[in-house]
Amino acid sequence: MFATLRGCLELLRLSWQQNRAKLCLSILLKLGEAAALPLAAVALRIITDAAVAGDITRAVLAGLAAAAGVIGSLTLGHFAHVLYYELGELNFLSKDVQLIHLANGSAGLEHHERPEYADKLQVLKQELQRTGWSSMEALMSSVSLTVAITLTAVLLAQLNPWLLLLPLAAVPPVLLGRRAELGLGRARQAAAEPTRRARHLFTLAVDAGPAKELRLFGLQQEIRSRHKTLWSDATRRLWRGEVRAALMRVAGQIVFAIAYVGGTLLVIRDAVAGRSSVGDVVLVISLAVMVNQQVATGVTLLQDLQRVAHALADFRWAQDLVAQQDPPPPDAELPDRIRDGVRLRNVSFTYPGTGRTVLSDVNLHLPAGSTVALVGENGAGKTTLVKLLCRFYQPTSGTIEIDGVDLARFPLAEWRQRIAAGFQDFVRFEFVARETVGVGDLPRIDSTPAVTAALERARAGDVVERLPDGLDTQLGKSYTDGQELSGGQWQKLALGRAMMRTQPLLLVLDEPTAALDAESEELLFEQYAANAKRVAAETGGITVLVTHRFSSVRMADLILVVADGRIVESGSHSELMANNQLYAELYQMQATAYQ
């Protein structure tokens, strides 16, 4: 119950921040709506007693009051709805923006590696919309219902003090409704993983990218079968939760129905004995009907508010998880150039929530101004090492130093501004071509000379030359007039983006030629070598190249062979070939394959 109350207060706080006047006015209108029906019931009692006594004037006035109450109950809520609907949509938009920031605004990437975070995020994507107008309707209706129940209780107490027990009969439905909603929350959580996997298969089935392989390998039926199995699993879990919840709710309503019948009979007995009027019987019947509706509405509203509160609690959980990644306060100034180099001392790393050590006790020195190549088999730890250098993660143990100073002591934003990077899993920014490249150095995103120079450094100018409107061409099939590119063309633009920053301290190229042909690859690496020398001369910057193609690493000053999370060999190409160990074996195997 505390969590539900906390969720209600958070909704009120959000709405107060959006528009105080509209929130206050909507509350006043809902209070008027709440008082309308109980007062109309009182008017019905007066009408009945006046009719029995033959008092026409009193009956007419009471009839007008009853009509006014009914009209108020039917109309005031609609005017309030106009106001809190907008507040709810603004609340949802606010939370939507916060969710985007939550997923992408953190310093690191650790939360993306946690399965429990993925499950929570899956539920949040579905449930966060409940912070919109529907949650405000539940909240405002709860305020209205509280006032209506209070007025009803006062009127019941005037008729017979024992009738005050009638609202207490609402406790079992409320408690059982709460247990039902908690059970549904657990069912939704249990169904999150199969739902997430089923959505992945759905994406594979409907997107254009996988279509070729699905048809070539005859995977359509396999994908459909797996999708059906996962959805059946998720549906079965949700169905069981819904059935258990329904049984609990029915049990609660039965308890109230018994109390409702008893209360009505009590007043009828008083009327027969002459202790109550006919109007009192009409009033108690009207109030009992209201109490029944109030309880049913209250249980429904409580379920809605519990569900909203659960979503907001998940949101806070994710916020706390991401907040744990905030870097420590910086206490050192980032140098303008690297003089000695980058040194890793006893660095180990385990991905959060996995327990699997990816890097173990790594010690190495990357000299200032050097070009370093990381080679090794898939899963050896090459990309993880790059992520640590970019400070996407903090080492589980050990330190990474620049010129003898712990990298964690430098301001993170400043360090990231001095990194240029091209990744294998690059983003296809569906912007205007100039912007697709220019985001690599945001202050110069609209600078045609800067973008053109970056494309030349990446040998990607030919892509723009083929575009109908050059750098002004809209890219991507999300737009009606968008120009779609091949995988290699998208990668060339991503490499141009990596070359936008002209004075990086660290240039990372993680499998930068995966989608390029051999000729383009050879020309590109020649350009990389020239660019690395320029960067080294200007900033002492280090170029780190991650690749599977051994033919392209011979130009590197230092080659590091990574295997099983360790640096097993290091040296120049000639030195490693002379050692005749793992590097030489892998190099010869690949060279033979290309002959």
Side-chain angles (χ1 to χ4, degrees):
M1 191 62 70
F2 174 76
T4 304
L5 180 60
R6 182 176 180 180
C8 292
L9 293 175
E10 185 170 349
L11 285 176
L12 285 173
R13 180 181 57 80
L14 283 172
S15 301
W16 181 262
Q17 293 172 348
Q18 306 296 350
N19 192 308
R20 300 177 182 180
K22 289 183 178 180
L23 175 62
C24 293
L25 184 55
S26 63
I27 291 176
L28 289 175
L29 289 171
K30 292 298 286 186
L31 292 179
E33 179 191 37
L37 278 182
L39 295 178
V42 173
L44 285 176
R45 178 177 67 174
I46 297 173
I47 292 172
T48 304
D49 290 338
V52 172
D55 189 345
I56 298 176
T57 302
R58 188 181 178 203
V60 171
L61 292 175
L64 292 174
V70 172
I71 292 173
S73 69
L74 294 175
T75 58
L76 294 177
H78 292 293
F79 289 111
H81 177 83
V82 173
L83 299 171
Y84 66 68
Y85 178 90
E86 181 182 356
L87 292 175
E89 291 303 290
L90 291 173
N91 288 343
F92 170 66
L93 179 61
S94 174
K95 281 297 179 184
D96 212 27
V97 171
Q98 288 181 37
L99 184 61
I100 294 173
H101 177 74
L102 181 67
N104 299 286
S106 61
L109 302 176
E110 292 182 13
H111 56 292
H112 289 292
E113 305 293 341
R114 294 181 179 270
E116 64 269 29
Y117 171 83
D119 290 341
K120 293 280 189 184
L121 199 65
Q122 176 64 38
V123 174
L124 275 176
K125 290 176 182 177
Q126 298 172 342
E127 297 294 307
L128 203 59
Q129 60 182 341
R130 294 183 177 275
T131 61
W133 71 267
S134 60
S135 68
M136 287 302 299
E137 183 166 21
L139 180 61
M140 293 293 103
S141 297
S142 297
V143 172
S144 173
L145 184 62
T146 301
V147 173
I149 289 175
T150 301
L151 290 175
T152 302
V154 170
L155 294 173
L156 288 173
Q158 291 178 347
L159 292 172
N160 191 317
W162 286 103
L163 292 178
L164 284 175
L165 297 176
L166 190 59
L168 294 180
V171 173
V174 169
L175 293 179
L176 289 172
R178 180 175 180 273
R179 289 190 61 185
E181 185 56 37
L182 290 175
L184 279 175
R186 289 191 294 269
R188 286 191 293 268
Q189 195 68 45
E193 181 182 352
T195 299
R196 177 161 44 86
R197 292 167 59 194
R199 289 186 183 279
H200 168 67
L201 292 177
F202 176 80
T203 302
L204 289 179
V206 300
D207 281 4
K212 297 186 293 297
E213 292 195 41
L214 294 185
R215 285 159 176 75
L216 181 64
F217 299 127
L219 297 177
Q220 299 97 319
Q221 184 57 40
E222 178 68 17
I223 295 296
R224 284 195 293 266
S225 175
R226 294 191 180 194
H227 180 266
K228 181 179 179 181
T229 300
L230 288 168
W231 269 123
S232 297
D233 182 25
T235 302
R236 183 172 60 255
R237 296 171 190 246
L238 292 172
W239 173 252
R240 289 175 180 172
E242 290 284 359
V243 170
R244 286 193 292 266
L247 292 175
M248 290 181 187
R249 291 165 184 161
V250 169
Q253 290 296 323
I254 290 175
V255 171
F256 178 77
I258 295 172
Y260 167 68
V261 173
T264 304
L265 292 175
L266 182 64
V267 177
I268 291 176
R269 186 195 67 176
D270 290 342
V272 171
R275 291 188 297 269
S276 299
S277 68
V278 177
D280 290 337
V281 175
V282 172
L283 177 60
V284 77
I285 292 175
S286 300
L287 292 178
V289 172
M290 289 183 193
V291 170
N292 186 39
Q293 293 173 341
Q294 289 167 356
V295 171
T297 302
V299 171
T300 302
L301 291 176
L302 182 60
Q303 293 165 4
D304 291 340
L305 292 175
Q306 285 175 335
R307 195 162 179 176
V308 173
H310 192 270
L312 292 174
D314 283 348
F315 197 93
R316 289 192 297 272
W317 177 90
Q319 284 180 315
D320 292 340
L321 175 65
V322 174
Q324 295 173 12
Q325 301 176 37
D326 290 342
D331 61 2
E333 185 177 349
L334 186 69
D336 290 333
R337 62 179 294 119
I338 298 177
R339 290 172 172 78
D340 175 59
V342 174
R343 189 177 296 274
L344 283 73
R345 298 183 186 273
N346 304 314
V347 169
S348 296
F349 181 74
T350 301
Y351 278 105
T354 65
R356 182 174 63 90
T357 300
V358 183
L359 293 176
S360 180
D361 199 28
V362 174
N363 289 275
L364 59 89
H365 179 237
L366 310 180
S370 63
T371 299
V372 181
L374 298 176
V375 298
E377 297 180 344
N378 289 330
K382 304 184 299 298
T383 297
T384 300
L385 189 58
V386 167
K387 290 178 180 179
L388 292 177
L389 291 174
C390 293
R391 287 186 65 183
F392 293 142
Y393 305 91
Q394 294 295 328
T396 306
S397 62
T399 60
I400 301 175
E401 301 174 353
I402 296 179
D403 292 346
V405 180
D406 190 343
L407 181 60
R409 295 178 57 190
F410 298 121
L412 177 58
E414 292 183 16
W415 172 240
R416 295 262 176 88
Q417 289 172 359
R418 299 301 302 274
I419 297 175
F423 298 105
Q424 180 180 9
D425 53 344
F426 56 88
V427 180
R428 300 187 180 193
F429 290 107
E430 295 190 352
F431 302 154
V432 174
R434 179 186 292 99
E435 296 176 344
T436 299
V437 177
V439 292
D441 190 8
L442 203 54
R444 300 191 297 160
I445 185 173
D446 294 321
S447 172
T448 297
V451 170
T452 302
L455 290 170
E456 290 176 357
R457 286 193 291 273
R459 288 191 176 272
D462 60 313
V463 176
V464 176
E465 292 173 359
R466 298 174 184 176
L467 297 177
D469 297 315
L471 289 176
D472 295 319
T473 304
Q474 174 64 58
L475 302 180
K477 53 187 178 182
S478 297
Y479 297 85
T480 304
D481 58 345
Q483 181 75 25
E484 186 52 270
L485 304 178
S486 68
Q489 289 174 318
W490 277 114
Q491 186 163 47
K492 281 189 174 184
L493 293 185
L495 292 170
R497 189 159 61 241
M499 296 297 170
M500 278 294 295
R501 291 177 175 173
T502 57
Q503 292 188 319
L505 295 179
L506 178 66
L507 172 60
V508 173
L509 300 168
D510 187 0
E511 297 288 356
T513 60
L516 303 183
D517 57 72
E519 182 180 358
S520 297
E521 177 188 20
E522 185 67 27
L523 293 173
L524 191 59
F525 275 108
E526 290 179 4
Q527 192 71 13
Y528 283 165
N531 188 67
K533 291 179 180 179
R534 178 189 59 80
V535 170
E538 294 179 1
T539 68
I542 300 169
T543 298
V544 177
L545 172 65
V546 180
T547 183
H548 286 87
R549 299 179 181 177
F550 284 70
S551 60
S552 59
V553 303
R554 290 175 296 181
M555 42 74 77
D557 302 310
L558 176 64
I559 300 172
L560 303 175
V561 184
V562 186
D564 298 324
R566 298 178 181 273
I567 307 298
V568 296
E569 285 187 86
S570 64
S572 65
H573 172 74
S574 57
E575 290 171 343
L576 294 177
M577 290 300 293
N579 288 342
N580 198 29
Q581 295 183 21
L582 180 60
Y583 177 84
E585 178 184 350
L586 294 175
Y587 184 87
Q588 291 294 348
M589 288 175 58
Q590 197 169 100
T592 301
Y594 278 102
Q595 289 178 356

